[in-house]
Short mmCIF file of all heavy atoms in Angstrom, two decimals:
data_model
loop_
_atom_site.label_atom_id
_atom_site.label_comp_id
_atom_site.label_asym_id
_atom_site.label_seq_id
_atom_site.Cartn_x
_atom_site.Cartn_y
_atom_site.Cartn_z
N VAL A 1 120.66 68.92 -7.14
CA VAL A 1 119.85 68.75 -5.93
C VAL A 1 120.80 68.37 -4.80
O VAL A 1 121.78 67.65 -5.03
CB VAL A 1 118.79 67.63 -6.10
CG1 VAL A 1 118.00 67.43 -4.81
CG2 VAL A 1 117.84 67.94 -7.24
N ILE A 2 120.51 68.82 -3.58
CA ILE A 2 121.30 68.44 -2.40
C ILE A 2 120.39 67.78 -1.37
O ILE A 2 119.30 68.30 -1.08
CB ILE A 2 121.99 69.66 -1.76
CG1 ILE A 2 122.97 70.31 -2.73
CG2 ILE A 2 122.71 69.26 -0.47
CD1 ILE A 2 123.58 71.62 -2.23
N PHE A 3 120.84 66.66 -0.84
CA PHE A 3 120.23 66.03 0.34
C PHE A 3 121.30 66.04 1.43
O PHE A 3 122.42 65.59 1.19
CB PHE A 3 119.82 64.58 0.07
CG PHE A 3 118.64 64.39 -0.84
CD1 PHE A 3 118.34 63.14 -1.37
CD2 PHE A 3 117.82 65.45 -1.19
CE1 PHE A 3 117.26 62.93 -2.20
CE2 PHE A 3 116.72 65.27 -2.02
CZ PHE A 3 116.44 64.01 -2.54
N ALA A 4 120.95 66.52 2.62
CA ALA A 4 121.98 66.65 3.66
C ALA A 4 121.44 66.34 5.05
O ALA A 4 120.26 66.56 5.34
CB ALA A 4 122.55 68.08 3.66
N CYS A 5 122.32 65.83 5.89
CA CYS A 5 122.00 65.58 7.30
C CYS A 5 123.27 65.81 8.11
O CYS A 5 124.34 65.32 7.76
CB CYS A 5 121.51 64.15 7.50
SG CYS A 5 121.02 63.79 9.21
N GLY A 6 123.12 66.57 9.20
CA GLY A 6 124.28 66.85 10.04
C GLY A 6 124.02 67.97 11.01
O GLY A 6 122.88 68.41 11.18
N PRO A 7 125.06 68.47 11.65
CA PRO A 7 124.90 69.53 12.66
C PRO A 7 124.41 70.84 12.02
O PRO A 7 124.61 71.09 10.84
CB PRO A 7 126.30 69.67 13.25
CG PRO A 7 127.22 69.10 12.24
CD PRO A 7 126.46 68.04 11.51
N THR A 8 123.77 71.65 12.85
CA THR A 8 123.16 72.89 12.37
C THR A 8 124.11 73.82 11.61
O THR A 8 123.74 74.33 10.55
CB THR A 8 122.50 73.64 13.54
OG1 THR A 8 121.49 72.79 14.11
CG2 THR A 8 121.85 74.94 13.09
N PRO A 9 125.35 74.07 12.08
CA PRO A 9 126.23 74.96 11.31
C PRO A 9 126.47 74.46 9.89
O PRO A 9 126.55 75.25 8.95
CB PRO A 9 127.52 74.97 12.13
CG PRO A 9 127.09 74.63 13.52
CD PRO A 9 125.98 73.66 13.35
N MET A 10 126.59 73.14 9.71
CA MET A 10 126.78 72.57 8.38
C MET A 10 125.55 72.81 7.52
O MET A 10 125.66 73.22 6.35
CB MET A 10 127.06 71.07 8.50
CG MET A 10 127.34 70.38 7.17
SD MET A 10 127.28 68.56 7.26
CE MET A 10 125.59 68.27 6.72
N LEU A 11 124.36 72.57 8.07
CA LEU A 11 123.13 72.75 7.32
C LEU A 11 122.92 74.22 6.95
O LEU A 11 122.44 74.53 5.85
CB LEU A 11 121.93 72.22 8.12
CG LEU A 11 121.96 70.72 8.46
CD1 LEU A 11 120.72 70.34 9.24
CD2 LEU A 11 122.09 69.86 7.20
N ARG A 12 123.27 75.10 7.86
CA ARG A 12 123.12 76.54 7.60
C ARG A 12 124.01 76.96 6.43
O ARG A 12 123.58 77.70 5.53
CB ARG A 12 123.47 77.34 8.86
CG ARG A 12 123.16 78.83 8.75
CD ARG A 12 123.54 79.55 10.03
NE ARG A 12 122.74 79.11 11.16
CZ ARG A 12 123.24 78.59 12.29
NH1 ARG A 12 124.55 78.44 12.44
NH2 ARG A 12 122.43 78.22 13.26
N ALA A 13 125.25 76.45 6.42
CA ALA A 13 126.18 76.78 5.33
C ALA A 13 125.69 76.20 4.00
O ALA A 13 125.79 76.86 2.96
CB ALA A 13 127.57 76.24 5.67
N LEU A 14 125.15 74.99 4.03
CA LEU A 14 124.64 74.38 2.80
C LEU A 14 123.40 75.11 2.29
O LEU A 14 123.22 75.25 1.07
CB LEU A 14 124.31 72.91 3.04
CG LEU A 14 125.51 71.96 3.12
CD1 LEU A 14 125.08 70.59 3.61
CD2 LEU A 14 126.20 71.84 1.76
N LYS A 15 122.56 75.59 3.20
CA LYS A 15 121.38 76.36 2.80
C LYS A 15 121.81 77.61 2.04
O LYS A 15 121.27 77.94 0.98
CB LYS A 15 120.55 76.73 4.03
CG LYS A 15 119.36 77.63 3.72
CD LYS A 15 118.57 78.00 4.96
CE LYS A 15 117.44 78.96 4.60
NZ LYS A 15 116.58 79.28 5.76
N GLU A 16 122.80 78.32 2.58
CA GLU A 16 123.30 79.54 1.93
C GLU A 16 123.93 79.22 0.57
O GLU A 16 123.71 79.93 -0.41
CB GLU A 16 124.32 80.23 2.84
CG GLU A 16 123.71 80.83 4.09
CD GLU A 16 124.76 81.37 5.06
OE1 GLU A 16 125.96 81.38 4.69
OE2 GLU A 16 124.37 81.79 6.17
N TYR A 17 124.70 78.13 0.53
CA TYR A 17 125.34 77.70 -0.72
C TYR A 17 124.27 77.38 -1.78
O TYR A 17 124.39 77.79 -2.94
CB TYR A 17 126.21 76.47 -0.45
CG TYR A 17 126.75 75.79 -1.68
CD1 TYR A 17 127.88 76.27 -2.33
CD2 TYR A 17 126.12 74.65 -2.19
CE1 TYR A 17 128.39 75.64 -3.46
CE2 TYR A 17 126.61 74.02 -3.33
CZ TYR A 17 127.74 74.51 -3.95
OH TYR A 17 128.23 73.88 -5.08
N ALA A 18 123.23 76.65 -1.38
CA ALA A 18 122.17 76.26 -2.32
C ALA A 18 121.39 77.48 -2.82
O ALA A 18 121.03 77.54 -4.00
CB ALA A 18 121.22 75.27 -1.65
N GLN A 19 121.15 78.44 -1.94
CA GLN A 19 120.45 79.65 -2.37
C GLN A 19 121.30 80.44 -3.36
O GLN A 19 120.80 80.97 -4.35
CB GLN A 19 120.10 80.51 -1.15
CG GLN A 19 118.94 79.94 -0.34
CD GLN A 19 118.62 80.76 0.90
OE1 GLN A 19 119.52 81.16 1.65
NE2 GLN A 19 117.34 81.01 1.13
N GLU A 20 122.59 80.49 -3.08
CA GLU A 20 123.52 81.20 -3.97
C GLU A 20 123.54 80.55 -5.36
O GLU A 20 123.58 81.23 -6.39
CB GLU A 20 124.92 81.16 -3.33
CG GLU A 20 126.03 81.75 -4.15
CD GLU A 20 127.40 81.38 -3.57
OE1 GLU A 20 127.56 81.38 -2.33
OE2 GLU A 20 128.31 81.08 -4.36
N LYS A 21 123.51 79.21 -5.38
CA LYS A 21 123.57 78.47 -6.64
C LYS A 21 122.18 78.24 -7.25
O LYS A 21 122.07 77.68 -8.34
CB LYS A 21 124.24 77.11 -6.43
CG LYS A 21 125.67 77.19 -5.89
CD LYS A 21 126.61 77.79 -6.89
CE LYS A 21 128.05 77.79 -6.38
NZ LYS A 21 128.97 78.45 -7.34
N GLN A 22 121.13 78.59 -6.49
CA GLN A 22 119.74 78.44 -6.94
C GLN A 22 119.40 76.98 -7.26
O GLN A 22 118.87 76.65 -8.32
CB GLN A 22 119.45 79.34 -8.15
CG GLN A 22 119.58 80.83 -7.83
CD GLN A 22 119.15 81.72 -8.99
OE1 GLN A 22 119.59 81.52 -10.12
NE2 GLN A 22 118.29 82.68 -8.71
N ILE A 23 119.74 76.11 -6.30
CA ILE A 23 119.39 74.70 -6.43
C ILE A 23 118.63 74.25 -5.18
O ILE A 23 118.88 74.76 -4.08
CB ILE A 23 120.64 73.80 -6.64
CG1 ILE A 23 121.67 74.03 -5.54
CG2 ILE A 23 121.25 74.05 -8.00
CD1 ILE A 23 122.89 73.16 -5.67
N PRO A 24 117.67 73.32 -5.32
CA PRO A 24 116.93 72.86 -4.15
C PRO A 24 117.81 72.05 -3.20
O PRO A 24 118.63 71.24 -3.64
CB PRO A 24 115.81 71.99 -4.74
CG PRO A 24 116.28 71.61 -6.10
CD PRO A 24 117.19 72.70 -6.57
N CYS A 25 117.63 72.29 -1.92
CA CYS A 25 118.42 71.62 -0.89
C CYS A 25 117.49 71.11 0.19
O CYS A 25 116.75 71.89 0.80
CB CYS A 25 119.43 72.62 -0.31
SG CYS A 25 120.42 71.98 1.06
N TRP A 26 117.51 69.81 0.39
CA TRP A 26 116.67 69.18 1.41
C TRP A 26 117.56 68.82 2.59
O TRP A 26 118.56 68.11 2.43
CB TRP A 26 115.98 67.94 0.85
CG TRP A 26 115.08 68.25 -0.30
CD1 TRP A 26 115.42 68.40 -1.61
CD2 TRP A 26 113.67 68.49 -0.23
NE1 TRP A 26 114.32 68.72 -2.37
CE2 TRP A 26 113.23 68.78 -1.56
CE3 TRP A 26 112.73 68.49 0.81
CZ2 TRP A 26 111.90 69.05 -1.85
CZ3 TRP A 26 111.40 68.76 0.50
CH2 TRP A 26 110.99 69.04 -0.81
N ILE A 27 117.20 69.29 3.78
CA ILE A 27 118.04 69.08 4.95
C ILE A 27 117.29 68.28 6.02
O ILE A 27 116.11 68.49 6.25
CB ILE A 27 118.53 70.43 5.54
CG1 ILE A 27 117.34 71.33 5.91
CG2 ILE A 27 119.46 71.13 4.55
CD1 ILE A 27 117.75 72.63 6.61
N SER A 28 118.00 67.37 6.65
CA SER A 28 117.46 66.60 7.76
C SER A 28 118.03 67.20 9.04
O SER A 28 119.24 67.18 9.27
CB SER A 28 117.85 65.13 7.65
OG SER A 28 117.36 64.40 8.76
N MET A 29 117.16 67.76 9.86
CA MET A 29 117.59 68.52 11.03
C MET A 29 117.73 67.64 12.26
O MET A 29 116.86 66.82 12.56
CB MET A 29 116.62 69.67 11.30
CG MET A 29 116.58 70.65 10.14
SD MET A 29 115.47 72.04 10.42
CE MET A 29 116.33 72.92 11.73
N GLU A 30 118.84 67.82 12.97
CA GLU A 30 119.08 67.10 14.21
C GLU A 30 118.53 67.93 15.36
O GLU A 30 118.75 69.13 15.42
CB GLU A 30 120.57 66.86 14.42
CG GLU A 30 121.20 65.97 13.36
CD GLU A 30 122.70 65.76 13.59
OE1 GLU A 30 123.28 66.52 14.38
OE2 GLU A 30 123.26 64.85 12.98
N GLU A 31 117.83 67.29 16.27
CA GLU A 31 117.28 68.01 17.42
C GLU A 31 116.98 67.02 18.53
O GLU A 31 116.66 65.87 18.27
CB GLU A 31 115.99 68.74 17.01
CG GLU A 31 115.37 69.63 18.07
CD GLU A 31 116.33 70.67 18.62
OE1 GLU A 31 116.62 71.65 17.92
OE2 GLU A 31 116.80 70.47 19.75
N ARG A 32 117.08 67.49 19.77
CA ARG A 32 116.65 66.65 20.89
C ARG A 32 115.14 66.51 20.83
O ARG A 32 114.43 67.50 20.66
CB ARG A 32 117.06 67.28 22.22
CG ARG A 32 118.55 67.27 22.48
CD ARG A 32 118.87 67.74 23.88
NE ARG A 32 118.43 66.78 24.89
CZ ARG A 32 119.13 65.75 25.31
NH1 ARG A 32 120.32 65.50 24.80
NH2 ARG A 32 118.67 64.94 26.24
N MET A 33 114.66 65.28 20.94
CA MET A 33 113.22 65.02 20.85
C MET A 33 112.75 64.32 22.11
O MET A 33 113.50 63.58 22.73
CB MET A 33 112.89 64.17 19.63
CG MET A 33 113.27 64.81 18.32
SD MET A 33 112.93 63.70 16.94
CE MET A 33 113.74 64.59 15.60
N ALA A 34 111.48 64.56 22.46
CA ALA A 34 110.91 63.88 23.62
C ALA A 34 109.92 62.82 23.17
O ALA A 34 110.20 61.64 23.17
CB ALA A 34 110.26 64.91 24.54
N CYS A 35 108.73 63.26 22.70
CA CYS A 35 107.70 62.28 22.36
C CYS A 35 107.96 61.59 21.03
O CYS A 35 107.61 60.43 20.85
CB CYS A 35 106.32 62.93 22.35
SG CYS A 35 106.05 64.04 20.95
N GLY A 36 108.52 62.31 20.05
CA GLY A 36 108.79 61.73 18.74
C GLY A 36 107.60 61.70 17.80
O GLY A 36 107.73 61.27 16.66
N ILE A 37 106.43 62.18 18.26
CA ILE A 37 105.22 62.10 17.42
C ILE A 37 104.53 63.46 17.24
O ILE A 37 103.43 63.54 16.75
CB ILE A 37 104.21 61.09 18.00
CG1 ILE A 37 103.84 61.44 19.45
CG2 ILE A 37 104.76 59.68 17.92
CD1 ILE A 37 102.70 60.59 20.02
N GLY A 38 105.18 64.55 17.69
CA GLY A 38 104.64 65.87 17.43
C GLY A 38 103.70 66.44 18.47
O GLY A 38 103.13 67.50 18.28
N ALA A 39 103.54 65.74 19.58
CA ALA A 39 102.56 66.18 20.58
C ALA A 39 103.12 67.19 21.58
O ALA A 39 102.42 68.09 22.03
CB ALA A 39 102.01 64.97 21.33
N CYS A 40 104.40 67.07 21.93
CA CYS A 40 104.93 67.84 23.06
C CYS A 40 105.53 69.19 22.67
O CYS A 40 105.79 70.02 23.52
CB CYS A 40 105.97 67.02 23.82
SG CYS A 40 107.53 66.80 22.91
N LEU A 41 105.76 69.41 21.38
CA LEU A 41 106.37 70.66 20.88
C LEU A 41 107.75 70.90 21.47
O LEU A 41 108.19 72.04 21.61
CB LEU A 41 105.45 71.87 21.17
CG LEU A 41 104.03 71.80 20.60
CD1 LEU A 41 103.28 73.09 20.90
CD2 LEU A 41 104.05 71.53 19.11
N GLY A 42 108.45 69.82 21.79
CA GLY A 42 109.78 69.96 22.38
C GLY A 42 110.90 70.09 21.35
O GLY A 42 112.04 70.33 21.71
N CYS A 43 110.56 69.95 20.05
CA CYS A 43 111.62 69.98 19.04
C CYS A 43 111.24 70.88 17.87
O CYS A 43 111.39 70.50 16.71
CB CYS A 43 111.91 68.56 18.54
SG CYS A 43 110.52 67.77 17.71
N VAL A 44 110.72 72.06 18.17
CA VAL A 44 110.27 72.94 17.10
C VAL A 44 111.42 73.76 16.52
O VAL A 44 112.43 74.02 17.18
CB VAL A 44 109.15 73.89 17.58
CG1 VAL A 44 107.91 73.14 17.96
CG2 VAL A 44 109.64 74.76 18.73
N CYS A 45 111.25 74.15 15.27
CA CYS A 45 112.18 75.08 14.63
C CYS A 45 111.34 76.16 13.97
O CYS A 45 110.14 75.97 13.70
CB CYS A 45 113.05 74.36 13.60
SG CYS A 45 112.13 73.68 12.19
N GLN A 46 111.93 77.30 13.71
CA GLN A 46 111.20 78.40 13.07
C GLN A 46 110.97 78.10 11.60
O GLN A 46 111.84 77.56 10.92
CB GLN A 46 111.98 79.71 13.21
CG GLN A 46 111.88 80.34 14.58
CD GLN A 46 112.46 81.75 14.57
OE1 GLN A 46 113.62 81.95 14.29
NE2 GLN A 46 111.61 82.71 14.84
N SER A 47 109.78 78.46 11.11
CA SER A 47 109.44 78.18 9.73
C SER A 47 108.86 79.43 9.07
O SER A 47 108.45 80.38 9.73
CB SER A 47 108.42 77.04 9.65
OG SER A 47 107.21 77.42 10.27
#
């Protein structure tokens, strides 16, 4: 299992590595936030 937090290029590389190895990878994404509670949609990512 992988738990990771850091800049996007690092997380992207770890995601690819985990898929290649077929292991679950949990990533904590860094992003500029405004409200911090989900109301403003200022920190969305594609899902």
Side-chain angles (χ1 to χ4, degrees):
V1 178
I2 298 173
F3 289 167
C5 183
T8 300
M10 183 194 96
L11 299 180
R12 188 180 295 122
L14 284 169
K15 175 181 177 176
E16 291 173 6
Y17 170 82
Q19 285 178 314
E20 175 193 321
K21 301 293 184 183
Q22 296 186 311
I23 54 178
C25 176
W26 298 84
I27 58 175
S28 178
M29 298 181 69
E30 296 180 345
E31 185 55 74
R32 291 187 69 86
M33 299 177 190
C35 72
I37 56 172
C40 71
L41 303 183
C43 64
V44 295
C45 64
Q46 283 191 298
S47 64

